[in-house]
Amino acid sequence: LRHHFRLISGYALSKDCKSINDYISRMEKNIEAAAPMTFCKNDTLNLILSAFQSKAEAESISLRINMKMADWSAIPDIDLCAIFSNALENAIKATRNITDCPREVSLSCHTKNDQLFLEIKNPYKGSIEFENGFPKASDHREGIGTKSIALIVEKHGGLYRFEAENGMFILNVIL
């Protein structure tokens, strides 16, 4: 959504109402045409996962999703979706550059005793530097995605860990 809002905001700043209307119309058609897959009982999360499944496929990346999530609602959907969206966006971005091993992102999520356990793994190329437990962004940005994940997890009393080892990046979240 962040990217869509940026584009619409750019059109608004230049007072280009026709482009705003055209873009929103195209978005509505895409939303209507997309039949979300069912991964869990959370409809909002199903939409997010379906969108990233399509995005990964378009880039010839395999996104394996293993969801064993009960009807869990310990945190608001907007926070849950922000965690999943930021993590998957980063994982797919890192996997784009892979040429020497399978281009595959795996997401495993399950609930037990009213807790959510999430793990996302993806290969990466090169090296990843960490600063204060956070991976430094390769594009010299501030690592907004990983910091957003951490802030949301901390806000809800959960735990997170970012790890890079043997060419595999791993995110673990417990909420």
Side-chain angles (χ1 to χ4, degrees), residues 75-149:
I75 70 170
D77 280 351
I78 193 165
D79 287 347
L80 189 62
C81 289
I83 292 169
F84 277 77
S85 295
N86 281 307
L88 287 170
E89 184 175 19
N90 289 345
I92 290 170
K93 182 178 178 181
T95 305
R96 279 185 196 131
N97 302 321
I98 299 301
T99 56
D100 56 346
C101 67
R103 292 166 35 113
E104 180 175 278
V105 174
S106 79
L107 180 153
S108 176
C109 182
H110 68 276
T111 52
K112 184 177 181 180
N113 299 330
D114 205 32
Q115 283 191 301
L116 179 130
F117 300 86
L118 171 65
E119 180 175 82
I120 298 178
K121 294 181 181 181
N122 63 273
Y124 65 91
K125 191 173 187 167
S127 63
I128 297 178
E129 293 180 42
F130 283 80
E131 187 175 287
N132 300 321
F134 291 98
K136 284 186 166 182
S138 60
D139 57 5
H140 306 292
R141 291 176 41 219
E142 293 184 28
I144 295 168
T146 54
K147 289 180 181 168
S148 294
I149 291 168

